[in-house]
């Protein structure tokens, strides 16, 4: 299996809702990433997990809460989001050896009303 | 930290012509440079990458060149086709870290 999968594909939520995004990979990668992407902009790194431990948090607001239950799964818990948080949320994974290609999932298109 | 600049932001070419996209980086420790293609509504997909110990790499119609001294690298697409139309992102990273620094993207349109 050489794919990163994400669910759901689309999500519409209100500012008071709590929802979660899910990401899964079975390539044995020990690094997993969350990115936020606005239209025609580059992916913006949010979090990095290495060996299931949070290694990078790019000063992301606490309304975004990542979780890595095991080496294959990555979640992003959402609470009290703002309309400006509407974006494509991409998950990626990679090896932790040199020259690490990152494999991206298809993303979750999030709309906050 | 690393700063990656990418030019041009938009590029239109006639089908069959070549397209060149250029990136510069600031951190001399960066040594891995991937290029991603992202079609509308799709995920970024790696199309070619180059390591710092190599000056050029080619894969069919796509090639990447790297000038470590000048800290710039370029993507070359020859014999462009309409299906090459997409947004292209360059990136830079160190092999000791797992953080990618992306360029701002180039929207390529190939006119049939």
């Amino acid at each position: 299996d050489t794919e990163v999968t994400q669910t759901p594909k689309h999500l519409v939520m209100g500012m008071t809702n709590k929802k979660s995004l899910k990401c899964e990979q079975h390539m044995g990668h020990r690094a997993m990433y969350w990115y936020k992407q606005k239209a025609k902009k580059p992916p913006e790194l949010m979090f990095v997990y290495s060996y299931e431990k949070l290694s990078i948090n790019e000063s992301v607001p606490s309304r975004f809460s990542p979780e890595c239950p095991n080496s294959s799964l990555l979640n992003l818990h959402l609470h009290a989001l703002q309309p400006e948080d509407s974006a494509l949320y991409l998950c990626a994974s990679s090896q932790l050896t040199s020259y690490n290609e990152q494999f991206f999932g298809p993303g979750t298109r999030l709309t906050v009303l | 930290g690393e700063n990656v600049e990418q030019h041009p932001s938009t590029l239109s070419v006639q089908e069959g012509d070549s397209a060149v996209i250029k990136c510069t980086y600031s951190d001399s420790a960066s040594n891995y440079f991937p290029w991603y293609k992202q079609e509308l509504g799709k995920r970024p997909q790696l199309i070619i990458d180059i390591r710092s110990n190599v000056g050029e790499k080619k894969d069919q119609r796509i090639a990447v060149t790297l000038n470590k001294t000048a800290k710039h690298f370029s993507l070359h697409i020859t014999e462009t086709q309409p299906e090459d139309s997409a947004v292209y992102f360059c990136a830079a990273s160190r092999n000791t870290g797992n953080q990618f620094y992306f360029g701002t993207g180039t929207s390529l349109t190939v006119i049939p």
Side-chain angles (χ1 to χ4, degrees), chain A residues 33 37 58 100 102 104, chain B residues 36 38 43 46 98-100:
Chain A
Y33 312 77
Q37 188 179 30
E58 291 286 0
N100 310 313
Q102 289 191 9
F104 284 87
Chain B
Y36 284 85
Q38 188 174 25
R43 74 186 82 191
L46 181 75
N98 49 12
Q99 189 165 1
F100 276 25

Side-chain angles (χ1 to χ4, degrees), chain A residues 3 10 24-25 29 36 42 46 56 60 65 80 84 93 98:
Chain A
E3 268 207 332
H10 302 276
E24 190 166 0
Q25 58 89 13
H29 292 168
K36 173 183 177 181
M46 301 174 72
I56 296 176
V60 179
S65 175
E84 58 264 30
S93 70
S98 299

Side-chain angles (χ1 to χ4, degrees), chain A residues 5-63:
Chain A
T5 59
Q6 288 185 245
T7 56
K9 288 186 179 180
H10 302 276
L11 178 62
V12 179
M13 60 186 290
M15 289 189 284
T16 59
N17 293 157
K18 285 185 180 181
K19 296 286 185 183
S20 296
L21 309 185
K22 297 185 182 301
C23 173
E24 190 166 0
Q25 58 89 13
H26 295 287
M27 294 179 278
H29 292 168
R30 301 309 296 274
M32 296 186 76
Y33 312 77
W34 279 116
Y35 288 90
K36 173 183 177 181
Q37 188 179 30
K38 294 279 196 178
K40 296 203 171 179
K41 297 290 186 183
E44 182 183 332
L45 185 66
M46 301 174 72
F47 303 104
V48 181
Y49 274 83
S50 303
Y51 297 109
E52 296 90 69
K53 293 195 187 313
L54 185 65
S55 58
I56 296 176
N57 175 344
E58 291 286 0
S59 303
V60 179
S62 60
R63 57 186 185 269

Side-chain angles (χ1 to χ4, degrees), chain A residues 90-105:
Chain A
L90 292 163
C91 172
S93 70
S94 75
Q95 299 281 10
L96 277 169
T97 51
S98 299
Y99 311 112
N100 310 313
E101 174 187 350
Q102 289 191 9
F103 292 79
F104 284 87

